[in-house]
Amino acid sequence: MGIISFFVVIFIAFIVVWNYSYQEGLEEAYTPIIETPTGNFIPAERGVFLRFDNTTINYSSMPVDENHQRTLDDYYKNRAYPGAPPSIPHPVKEERSFGGNTCIQCHQKGGFVEKFNAYAPVTPHPEMVNCRQCHVTKNTSATFRDFAFAKMQPPKVGEGANNAMPGSPPMIPHHLQMRESCIACHAGPSAPKEIRVTHPERVNCRQCHLPQTSISTPQIDTSAFLRQFDQLNEK
């Protein structure tokens, strides 16, 4: 009886293991989702596509208003240095106003503003409604005292080693911090005419254009200023 019971237990265990393996094999294969991305990523890149789809604006068929062109020089004159937040070139109604109440009304989707006779530039980060935290009004161009600070020159359009080969897509010659939405500066009537892209309908810019990491600029530790990953921008 002992030997027979032993073989019965072995047989039952075999049936249980085989049935479990068979049921596991019937489950569909899946790809595990990585919750926290690592490496050099753009936190709000997903938001770029959502904002582009929700604007209902056909940039590719939009006519060019020759009388209200914004130049690249005007684009950089409104910044203390390349990559700096642009100053507010017009009066504001309230000094402590927030973007959700005032700025976003014009700068979330752009459009022509009769009061200023210009097209409102589209912000690349409309989810950050406290605009006055970084953008300030320009009251004067004078300084309190002389100093030796030299303003860094912005990258030139079409100059330098900005292409891997002739005819290839140009690389991104600037940092992507706070400029995750490419179409904000490179498409639409408010975009500087020198850098207005010819194919705004292809919103996956990073598929062909990559950041240029070999730019010969002074090495500055900017880790304290970079936007860190958070679940809010990724959802």
Side-chain angles (χ1 to χ4, degrees), residues 20-193:
Y20 176 78
S21 300
Y22 177 76
Q23 296 297 330
E24 288 290 322
L26 294 178
E27 293 186 3
E28 296 183 359
Y30 69 96
T31 302
I33 300 176
I34 301 176
E35 296 295 337
T36 304
T38 58
N40 185 18
F41 59 90
I42 306 179
E45 188 164 347
R46 180 172 178 268
V48 174
F49 298 98
L50 294 176
R51 289 195 292 270
F52 190 92
D53 293 337
N54 293 335
T55 54
T56 64
I57 298 176
N58 189 357
Y59 284 101
S60 58
S61 62
M62 186 177 296
V64 178
D65 189 349
E66 298 293 345
N67 297 324
H68 301 90
Q69 293 282 302
R70 188 163 68 126
T71 65
L72 196 59
D73 288 338
D74 296 333
Y75 177 89
Y76 283 118
K77 283 180 181 178
N78 203 30
R79 289 161 170 78
Y81 55 88
S87 59
I88 303 175
H90 58 76
V92 294
K93 185 177 181 180
E94 298 179 6
E95 183 64 25
R96 297 183 180 273
S97 59
F98 289 89
N101 299 328
T102 53
C103 310
I104 297 299
Q105 295 180 9
C106 294
H107 292 284
Q108 183 171 12
K109 294 185 178 181
F112 188 78
V113 182
E114 293 284 350
K115 181 179 181 180
F116 302 113
N117 193 31
Y119 287 94
V122 179
T123 174
H125 39 264
E127 73 282 356
M128 305 187 70
V129 296
N130 192 0
C131 308
R132 298 303 306 278
Q133 183 177 357
C134 300
H135 302 275
V136 297
T137 56
K138 186 176 181 180
N139 297 325
T140 180
S141 299
T143 57
F144 294 104
R145 55 177 300 177
D146 295 334
F147 54 90
F149 173 77
K151 186 176 182 179
M152 184 184 303
Q153 295 299 317
K156 301 296 183 180
V157 178
E159 297 184 10
N162 199 26
N163 298 69
M165 61 185 68
S168 63
M171 302 186 72
I172 303 175
H174 56 73
H175 294 290
L176 299 172
Q177 170 70 16
M178 300 297 290
R179 292 184 285 188
E180 296 91 350
S181 179
C182 305
I183 60 174
C185 294
H186 294 280
S190 63
K193 58 181 181 179

